[in-house]
Amino acid sequence: MIAIGEKYELVISSMRVLTLLEAFKKNKTYQMTFDKIILFDFYMKFPQTMIREGDDMSNFDFEELYSFFHAHPDRDNYHRILNFILSKNLVSKEILNSSFIYKISDSGIDVVNDIQNPFSLRMRANALLIKKNISKMSETKIKEEINSKSLNNIHLL
């Protein structure tokens, strides 16, 4: 049985991934692989650290301040998240060039668009920034940036 906290984290994580996939839905040439979802979700999960530069601790919650603990993601958890949204038919998964590619379904788009609150609007804005700026970087460069920026939070503690 899943604890309430785990259910909450699964739903929030699923919404981040769906919002991210929704931002890339019209980009036919960009292939959203498992590894790219993990990397981009770090930006979605820790936007103050990764997207919004600054030393203003008032915008940082506990998770954000300790984001360096999550710089190496739990791949099993991402399999769980993706399997959950696959089981709900919110995304599809196909094999292309020896990689699994994830695409948001029409139902997934509806879910993302039906939720209208400040949190979901910020997530959409962050996803669009990732699409515009981060998706052009190599995976190696993204990993370097994640390690660098997440470690910068140590001086805020």
Side-chain angles (χ1 to χ4, degrees):
M1 188 153 174
I2 298 176
I4 291 176
E6 289 178 48
K7 287 180 185 178
Y8 171 76
E9 180 59 34
L10 180 61
V11 170
I12 293 294
S13 297
S14 296
M15 284 308 301
R16 281 195 321 267
V17 170
L18 284 173
T19 302
L20 184 60
L21 291 172
E22 197 274 337
F24 284 86
K25 72 180 181 289
K26 292 183 181 174
N27 194 335
K28 303 291 184 199
T29 60
Y30 199 82
Q31 307 301 319
M32 193 60 80
T33 63
F34 180 75
D35 288 328
K36 286 179 185 170
I37 289 172
I38 291 173
L39 292 173
F40 294 162
D41 186 51
F42 193 86
Y43 287 79
M44 295 288 287
K45 190 171 184 177
F46 304 110
Q48 292 300 118
T49 299
M50 300 306 300
I51 298 172
R52 315 268 188 266
E53 303 279 335
D55 290 336
D56 183 8
M57 274 184 40
S58 65
N59 292 326
F60 284 61
D61 61 11
F62 179 83
E63 289 285 322
E64 195 87 40
L65 285 172
Y66 290 90
S67 62
F68 55 88
F69 282 123
H70 304 285
H72 301 286
D74 180 355
R75 295 178 68 83
D76 289 338
N77 186 47
Y78 279 96
H79 281 292
R80 194 172 122 233
I81 294 163
L82 288 165
N83 285 336
F84 174 72
I85 57 180
L86 278 164
S87 73
K88 303 295 182 191
N89 294 318
L90 301 174
V91 298
S92 64
K93 175 174 140 179
E94 57 189 64
I95 297 176
L96 187 65
N97 299 328
S98 302
S99 295
F100 286 115
I101 307 301
Y102 295 87
K103 295 180 182 178
I104 193 164
S105 68
D106 290 339
S107 298
I109 292 169
D110 290 343
V111 167
V112 171
N113 290 330
D114 284 348
I115 299 174
Q116 297 292 323
N117 60 46
F119 180 72
S120 68
L121 296 175
R122 278 193 309 274
M123 279 199 310
R124 285 188 206 150
N126 292 340
L128 292 173
L129 284 171
I130 292 166
K131 179 182 177 185
K132 180 180 177 188
N133 300 325
I134 310 307
S135 67
K136 295 174 175 86
M137 297 166 47
S138 71
E139 288 186 26
T140 302
K141 178 68 177 156
I142 293 170
K143 288 176 187 176
E144 289 171 4
E145 188 171 82
I146 287 171
N147 286 327
S148 172
K149 287 187 175 185
S150 64
L151 286 174
N152 284 341
N153 289 354
I154 291 175
H155 80 278
L156 298 174
L157 299 175

